[in-house]
């Protein structure tokens, strides 16, 4: 189970890397999406289906962080969870970039530490 969990963490880290390079686009879409009414949101999601993938990966990431709190690397997952709930990403595209960069670094440290590679 440990190996499956950390394989999923690697997938989350890869998702964060993609988010890192698409931070401006993601921030713009999130800003537009928040201003729409219910019907417009549905149409907007049909026009941009990859936003469904981003939403799914964010929810899966929160679930993995919750499970990670019960692992030996709980402090790393607590830091990422705290950053997720701090809403720092609403400050701008630079904040999305910084949040994703720190998250990738923390995930990498957790994986390296659990398998005694550092």
């Amino acid at each position: 189970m440990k190996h499956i969990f950390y394989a999923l963490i690697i997938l989350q880290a890869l998702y964060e890397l993609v988010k890192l390079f698409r931070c401006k686009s993601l921030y713009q879409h999130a800003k537009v999406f928040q201003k729409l009414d219910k019907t417009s949101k549905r149409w907007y999601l049909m026009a941009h289906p990859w936003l469904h993938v981003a939403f799914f990966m964010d929810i899966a990431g929160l679930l993995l962080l919750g499970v990670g709190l019960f692992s030996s690397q709980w402090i790393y997952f607590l830091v990422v969870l705290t950053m997720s709930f701090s809403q720092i990403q609403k400050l701008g595209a630079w904040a999305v970039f910084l949040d994703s960069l720190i998250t990738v670094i923390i995930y990498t440290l957790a994986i390296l530490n659990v398998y005694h590679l550092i």
Side-chain angles (χ1 to χ4, degrees), residues 5-117:
F5 172 73
Y6 284 104
L8 292 173
I9 292 296
I10 290 171
L11 288 176
Q12 269 307 117
L14 292 175
Y15 165 69
E16 289 290 332
L17 276 175
V18 170
K19 204 164 94 173
L20 184 76
F21 294 113
R22 304 279 300 172
C23 61
K24 287 182 184 178
S25 172
L26 185 62
Y27 177 72
Q28 291 291 7
H29 284 297
K31 199 163 83 169
V32 169
F33 188 76
Q34 289 175 351
K35 295 178 183 176
L36 300 175
D37 63 347
K38 187 176 180 179
T39 306
S40 299
K41 284 182 180 183
R42 203 171 326 151
W43 284 101
Y44 194 78
L45 286 174
M46 279 194 254
H48 304 285
W50 60 271
L51 290 175
H52 285 291
V53 175
F55 178 71
F56 172 76
M57 290 300 289
D58 287 337
I59 297 298
L62 285 176
L63 291 173
L64 284 173
L65 289 173
V67 171
L69 292 176
F70 296 102
S71 71
S72 62
Q73 307 301 315
W74 65 272
I75 193 72
Y76 294 116
F77 298 110
L78 182 63
V79 170
V80 175
L81 190 63
T82 304
M83 286 186 343
S84 296
F85 286 122
S86 71
Q87 300 293 322
I88 192 171
Q89 293 184 354
K90 291 185 177 183
L91 296 177
W94 65 271
V96 174
F97 178 84
L98 188 63
D99 182 59
S100 294
L101 180 66
I102 292 171
T103 302
V104 167
I105 291 170
I106 290 174
Y107 282 160
T108 304
L109 285 174
I111 292 166
L112 291 175
N113 196 17
V114 78
Y115 288 109
H116 307 291
L117 299 174

